[in-house]
Amino acid sequence: MPDKRLIWIAGALLAAMALFLIWGLQGKVWFILELRATKLAALVCVGLAIGTATVLFQTLSNNRILTPSIMGFDALFILLQTGLVFALGGFGYAQLSPLRSFALETIVMMGAAVFLFAAILHRTRQDVQLMILVGVVMGLMFRSITAFVQRLMDPSEFTMVQGAMFARFGAVDSGALVASVVLLAGIGLWLWRHHAILDVMALGRAQARGLGLAYDRLQFQMLCAIAALVSVSTALVGPLTFLGLLVASLAHSLMQSHRHQLLLPAAALIAALILVTGQIVFERILQLQSTLAVVIEFSGGLLFLILLARGRIR
Amino acid sequence: MADGRVRHWRAAHPYIATGVGLILLAGLSLFIGVGQLSFAALRDDPQALQLLIISRMPRTLAALLTGASMAVAGLILQLLVRNRFVEPATTGTSEAAMLGLLAVTIWAPSWPILGKMGIAAGAALMGTVGFLALTRRLPPEQPLLIPLVGLIYGGILGAAATFIAFQADLIQYLAIWMNGEFSGVLAGRYELLWLAGGLTLLAYLAADQFTVAGLGRATSLTLGLRYGQVLALGVVTVALVSALVIVTVGMLPFIGLVVPNIVSRIMGDNLRESLPVVAGLGAGLVLLSDMIGRIVRYPYEVPAGTIFGIFGAVLFLRMLLGRRSHA
Amino acid sequence: MIKVSELTYSIAGTPILHDINVTLPAGRITALIGPNGAGKSTLLHLISQQIPFDRGRITMGGLDLAKTTAPARALKMAVVGQQLGVASRIRIRDLVGFGRWPYNHGRPTPKDQEKISEALSHFDLIGLQDRFLDEVSGGQRQRAFIAMASAQDTDWLLLDEPLNNLDLHHARCLMTQLREKVDREGKSVVIVLHDLNYAISWADHVVALDKGSIAFEGPLTEVATTDSLSALYRTPVVFGDLAGKPFVQYHR
């Protein structure tokens, strides 16, 4: 029997999705519907990915304020994407089908994330603030290197691939979308079967090992999953630093539970709900373009500061 | 006395090393760039001399002044906040200055550059004071909380700036202010930076006051320091320097963070001794970054801010992960 | 002398000190004693004007301290607090040198150098003078701050639990130095002490605080008795005599 609160959120999400599809529908109905459906699918995928990735990362780092974005995962993905373009040449990259390039990027991303963040988590587990600061600085470094690599490219080559690299909600590639849905479904299934293990992992490494969990192997698997989820959201819309934080703390305060069976779907659904309603408000009501990300940054950042000031972060 | 001579030598040789390094770098910098320039040409070709005076010399000076003043601003901020991990780019100072600049650009685009700079400096001042007020509420035994809060606070101000810039169609301005680079520097377009250099000199005159302030409020009071005045002087200096640099060449993160930490490791924090070296090292590293940026993708240029962003981050990570557990 | 009259201080509505009236004699060592949380450090902070107070008056030789400026006060009293954590890296000789800052504002005279060297040698810091403050032990750092206050060469010296991190040798050296400053140079010392044996061995005058009020105060020999000390600490304290010197026993 699913939790009542989850049903409510799912209901709200469905309503928002329907509203998004049919609001002000006129003219070439089928054409517009197709455009909107693609966009909607992207929004929902991104929401599910960010919500899930954040809760998983918080479980892994044993901390309620860390998110993959704060730790520089998004920036790493963009760096890898840029690096790939540089390595293959703009022309070579453009020749890859979107599905192929997405798969390639995701695999490289998993490798890099596991390599880097396993080391960081290990080195800084005792000191949360150190961990965050290292993550933030790494994010800045990834961004600088990305900028550097972009400068190294031939300017004409760069403009040619820029569109392919930085898709927005407005222009989502259907190939990448299909790949995202498949990835999300796979990870969702895996999490569905292992949610009880996650509850134990949330107790921390020492306790989890004491209870007989192969913690390090699980950590490896989870880092892979997180990396894949971040690939999904970043490839579809680019970095959203604070959405995960916002969503995870909402999920925690709504569910009042440590159980991942409730937390994971709650965070995923809330994230999708925020994105879809946010997009409706910004695009249809306020007639503002592409500013949703900035507003989410702003409110998520404020929430972070409030959490800090209230001493909720240790 | 042999002992005294050793002390003098130890005191003198960082200055000599910094000075010699700076002169060499500056000399090299004059001859690197898209336009060919050589000693021989300087003698015979009036155009070469022109290139030197109008472009290369100002560019070199701008990089030196920026590096020196940003490094010193970072040092002052670190002593006043009493935290090793802050600098103008991690305390909301730069983002606040950009908000101020945006406001002038929207409402009074015809103002002279000095007026715009003044508004930016005022906004930077408010941003920094806001950050100091925030840090007062944090427990002092958690030193890393302060830069963390500063980064988020800067992020919020930055998001606000992006939002406004987007609505006013000024995003490209924001991109220019955020990416420090020197390729646009020509004679007549960088002279505001001399003001930043002057502020650095002023900070040197108040070196002892800042050193004492760095020992904490209680010690400052018992030594009769007017703590509030020194705090105000420091914050105003930092805000002005940040605003000047953003207006003329754009933001250069990490310099104020990395340079004072390196110098402090070696020489300590007696500003009377260390401030010239901090300024010199900052100047040298920025100039070096600019020179690398000129060479690495010749004939195109990579912004100095991007180059230093990479080195700075690597150095800072080493600092963070290599620090002793109690620090 | 320092005269404290009708001093009241509270933090967020909780009274820390109420209605304190006490005179700290000049040319003496005055020990501030009392159980934890009695308000000893707060009193020291209030006297040195590090925190503003709600009500009352503190005068030094008739001069209202609240109306003096920080530079003027720095020439009259030096303070060593308990929180000596310093984020900046500074050499011990430079730190002690800042004790002369109220006089020279950064332009040290030969006389200043002499005072600095004197303070360094009095507190056994000559061998450490070129070390950075964050590279020495807690006790050594504490001695450096005390040496700085000593180089400040003021009529009054206020010390908040200076023996905390010191070993037997350096604790005794510090008390000897303070005694000499009082006896030879006519300085006045106010010192917060926890170890009653140090208090009865070295102080001339005692001010005992309990729960934000004065429990008793007066010349050591008159007010420090078995009864008064036992009541103050709510622990049996027995006066004895060890090799001809007064001694208190309270350990068990």
Side-chain angles (χ1 to χ4, degrees), chain C residues 157-229:
Chain C
L157 186 56
L158 279 56
L159 303 152
D160 194 355
E161 294 190 29
L163 303 180
N164 262 359
N165 296 308
L166 300 191
D167 59 37
L168 293 179
H169 170 69
H170 287 109
R172 187 169 163 167
C173 282
L174 167 63
M175 296 314 291
T176 315
Q177 293 292 343
L178 294 178
R179 195 70 252 173
E180 279 190 9
K181 277 185 183 295
V182 170
D183 293 345
R184 295 224 183 121
E185 302 169 35
K187 309 275 189 199
S188 319
V189 171
V190 183
I191 180 169
V192 177
L193 287 174
H194 262 305
D195 189 330
L196 282 179
N197 276 312
Y198 276 96
I200 61 165
S201 307
W202 296 98
D204 307 304
H205 196 89
V206 174
V207 174
L209 284 168
D210 192 15
K211 293 177 191 152
S213 303
I214 303 279
F216 56 87
E217 59 111 1
L220 175 89
T221 45
E222 293 173 22
V223 298
T225 62
T226 300
D227 291 343
S228 67
L229 292 176

Side-chain angles (χ1 to χ4, degrees), chain B residues 7 10 79 82 208-209 211-212 214-215 217-219 222-226 264-270 272-273, chain C residues 50 70-71 74 78-79 85-91 93-95 98-99 101-102 106 130 132 134 145 148 152:
Chain B
R7 260 183 88 85
R10 191 198 67 198
L79 287 176
R82 301 188 67 201
D208 280 333
Q209 268 96 326
T211 310
V212 175
L215 297 174
R217 181 172 172 274
T219 308
T222 176
L223 290 177
L225 185 79
R226 291 175 201 271
S264 166
R265 274 287 145 85
I266 303 164
M267 300 185 65
D269 283 327
N270 192 346
R272 187 67 80 82
E273 275 180 26
Chain C
Q50 306 219 348
V79 192
V86 166
S88 57
R89 271 164 67 82
I90 185 159
R91 283 178 218 281
R93 188 182 174 90
D94 292 339
L95 179 80
F98 276 116
W101 198 79
D130 286 332
F132 286 111
D134 58 353
F145 274 93
M148 179 180 92
Q152 210 173 328

Side-chain angles (χ1 to χ4, degrees), chain A residues 92-228:
Chain A
Y93 183 84
Q95 277 195 325
L96 281 180
S97 75
L99 192 63
R100 277 231 184 113
S101 60
F102 179 69
L104 197 60
E105 282 155 7
T106 307
I107 290 166
V108 178
M109 172 75 187
M110 282 161 116
V114 168
F115 176 72
L116 272 175
F117 291 95
I120 290 185
L121 283 176
H122 179 71
R123 173 72 180 73
T124 61
R125 197 187 294 280
Q126 305 305 323
D127 189 343
V128 177
Q129 293 165 30
L130 178 64
M131 192 194 290
I132 304 175
L133 206 56
V134 166
V136 170
V137 174
M138 292 226 308
L140 290 174
M141 181 175 68
F142 294 149
R143 255 161 251 151
S144 285
I145 301 176
T146 306
F148 180 71
V149 174
Q150 286 174 357
R151 293 280 178 156
L152 289 186
M153 283 181 213
D154 202 67
S156 58
E157 211 172 44
F158 175 63
T159 36
M160 198 171 86
V161 293
Q162 199 173 23
M165 280 173 49
F166 302 106
R168 294 277 141 202
F169 284 125
V172 178
D173 179 83
S174 57
L177 196 57
V178 171
S180 302
V181 173
V182 172
L183 251 180
L184 278 176
I187 291 172
L189 200 68
W190 182 71
L191 289 173
W192 182 251
R193 299 186 47 163
H194 290 83
H195 66 82
I197 288 181
L198 293 174
D199 297 346
V200 181
M201 282 184 85
L203 297 175
R205 184 166 183 270
Q207 273 87 346
R209 277 164 64 102
L211 293 170
L213 232 56
Y215 189 91
D216 294 332
R217 188 167 54 86
L218 282 166
Q219 171 178 301
F220 172 81
Q221 290 171 352
M222 275 169 63
L223 269 176
C224 282
I226 292 166

